Amino acid sequence: AQTVTQSQPEMSVQEAETVTLSCTYDTSESNYYLFWYKQPPSRQMILVIRQEAYKQQNATENRFSVNFQKAAKSFSLKISDSQLGDTAMYFCASSTEYGNKLVFGAGTILRVKS
Amino acid sequence: SQTIHQWPATLVQPVGSPLSLECTVEGTSNPNLYWYRQAAGRGLQLLFYSVGIGQISSEVPQNLSASRPQDRQFILSSKKLLLSDSGFYLCAWTRGVTDTQYFGPGTRLTVL
């Protein structure tokens, strides 16, 4: 069974600064996918970034990048130049190639302060 | 482009009443569809998923059920709501099992 752990319930960062959100996972699958989703106060779940486990290169999307450490089963999200609109709950999630399921962590509340 | 709709957006129901939440996807065919529940301040729990019309897989045994009467329609139902059914219900879709799941706007359900 897959598990996803986010050990930081809440974090805060000053506007324009950089912040890193942590995520560890456990799976016995050889191929799998990792995601970060953002849930702002509207509660709409928005995809931030996706990483395929067989790709060694870390995914990036504008100000968002990941540090994927496959051996350590770690998948952290770095947000550069934080903006007030980044304030949200961030969820780490994993899915397997054949499992047809997305397993979520408990989430990290990120507050960006001006 | 694809769009996913959910309604109603907000619902307040008494204990013991029936429930019907609807999810529809536009702009794609034969999507995989999912129902999740999110309790206050918590992560998402997968309730049901469907890979085709009439095909439903249940992840959590409870008083909820799901149906897929049409290719792009997914319905979450209950005959008698419990207080513990309160939460935020999200529908999601993918093209295939390895694809990213995209979520609808959600329904906030309060059972009193």
Side-chain angles (χ1 to χ4, degrees):
Chain A
Q2 302 173 78
T3 60
V4 177
T5 302
Q6 294 178 250
S7 58
Q8 305 154 313
E10 294 188 29
M11 295 189 71
S12 62
V13 64
Q14 286 296 125
E15 201 174 4
E17 297 293 308
T18 295
V19 63
T20 299
L21 308 183
S22 301
C23 172
T24 58
Y25 62 92
D26 194 15
T27 180
S28 57
E29 301 291 330
S30 58
N31 195 22
Y32 50 91
Y33 304 84
L34 299 166
F35 306 85
W36 279 99
Y37 283 89
K38 166 185 175 181
Q39 188 178 42
S42 67
R43 302 196 77 174
Q44 170 87 53
M45 291 288 285
I46 302 166
L47 175 70
V48 175
I49 204 162
R50 165 190 164 114
Q51 174 82 41
E52 295 165 7
Y54 64 86
K55 291 186 178 179
Q56 295 195 359
Q57 187 174 5
N58 289 326
T60 62
E61 286 289 342
N62 301 315
R63 298 182 295 107
F64 299 88
S65 62
V66 298
N67 183 6
F68 175 45
Q69 301 290 327
K70 192 171 184 178
K73 296 185 177 177
S74 171
F75 183 60
S76 60
L77 175 70
K78 185 172 82 171
I79 305 174
S80 304
D81 186 26
S82 297
Q83 301 175 1
L84 295 177
D86 295 333
T87 292
M89 175 84 92
Y90 287 81
F91 290 98
C92 179
S94 73
S95 69
T96 61
E97 190 169 25
Y98 301 104
N100 202 25
K101 301 175 188 178
L102 198 58
V103 175
F104 285 84
T108 297
I109 298 172
L110 176 66
R111 294 187 175 86
V112 181
K113 300 178 180 180
S114 59
Chain B
S1 64
Q2 297 80 26
T3 309
I4 180 168
H5 303 279
Q6 286 186 245
W7 61 85
T10 305
L11 191 60
V12 180
Q13 292 285 91
V15 170
S17 63
L19 172 73
S20 181
L21 303 181
E22 188 167 344
C23 170
T24 59
V25 181
E26 295 178 353
T28 189
S29 60
N30 197 30
N32 291 345
L33 297 170
Y34 306 81
W35 277 113
Y36 291 88
R37 177 168 61 198
Q38 183 181 27
R42 306 285 295 276
L44 276 68
Q45 178 187 40
L46 178 63
L47 300 176
F48 301 95
Y49 67 91
S50 171
V51 299
I53 296 174
Q55 301 178 59
I56 308 294
S57 296
S58 173
E59 289 295 304
V60 182
Q62 53 198 333
N63 70 319
L64 298 173
S65 62
S67 62
R68 185 169 176 175
Q70 300 180 40
D71 181 44
R72 290 169 290 177
Q73 184 185 34
F74 204 23
I75 296 173
L76 183 70
S77 304
S78 174
K79 293 181 179 178
K80 289 186 178 182
L81 284 168
L82 306 173
L83 288 174
S84 57
D85 292 323
S86 292
F88 191 62
Y89 289 82
L90 286 154
C91 182
W93 76 276
T94 66
R95 289 186 186 87
V97 297
T98 61
D99 289 327
T100 299
Q101 290 190 22
Y102 295 96
F103 288 82
T107 295
R108 184 187 306 272
L109 171 66
T110 303
V111 182
L112 302 175

